[in-house]
């Protein structure tokens, strides 16, 4: 079961909303429970806030479409690599 385990504070959300004011459309990748953004994309649709199901590695959005793209939570490169790189057994598999 997927559960929300990270989200911005109200102060951070207010700051982000202020920064993106006037931009359209705003794409929010890995949006989870957040209502920030016109396109709120997440890998799993487990909340009403998500309006597009998709993978952050293969965005289902044409290049140049978004005025602003934000990601929630702010992933580090190390965490991304750990979470999304194939395991050694996957790398060695022959198809």
């Amino acid at each position: 079961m997927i559960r929300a385990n990270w989200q911005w504070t109200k102060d951070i959300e207010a700051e982000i909303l202020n920064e993106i004011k006037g931009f359209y459309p705003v794409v929010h990748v890995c949006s989870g429970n957040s209502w920030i953004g016109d396109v709120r994309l997440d890998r799993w649709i487990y909340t009403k806030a998500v309006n597009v199901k998709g993978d952050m590695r293969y965005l289902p959005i044409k290049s140049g479409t978004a005025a602003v793209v934000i990601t929630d939570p702010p992933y580090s490169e190390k965490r991304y690599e750990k979470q999304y790189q194939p395991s050694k057994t996957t790398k060695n598999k022959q198809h």
Side-chain angles (χ1 to χ4, degrees):
M1 179 176 187
I2 305 299
R3 65 181 175 78
N5 60 4
W6 192 97
Q7 69 185 64
W8 287 322
T9 64
K10 295 295 178 194
D11 289 341
I12 298 293
E13 281 194 349
E15 190 174 320
I16 291 167
L17 286 168
N18 187 51
E19 290 293 322
I20 64 174
K21 190 188 307 184
F23 290 97
Y24 178 84
V26 173
V27 175
H28 189 168
V29 180
C30 304
S31 61
N33 289 321
S34 176
W35 288 90
I36 295 176
D38 305 295
V39 175
R40 295 175 305 278
L41 181 139
D42 209 298
R43 218 168 148 182
W44 299 278
I45 298 180
Y46 58 91
T47 172
K48 290 181 180 179
V50 176
N51 60 8
V52 175
K53 182 179 180 180
D55 189 314
M56 68 189 227
R57 298 170 296 170
Y58 312 104
L59 297 177
I61 299 162
K62 290 182 181 180
S63 180
T65 299
V68 174
V69 177
I70 56 176
T71 184
D72 177 6
Y75 287 99
S76 68
E77 188 173 336
K78 185 175 180 178
R79 179 175 175 185
Y80 175 87
E81 287 174 358
K82 182 178 178 183
Q83 185 170 353
Y84 289 102
Q85 291 301 314
S87 68
K88 289 179 182 177
T89 55
T90 306
K91 284 182 183 177
N92 295 329
K93 258 187 182 176
Q94 297 294 321
H95 293 283

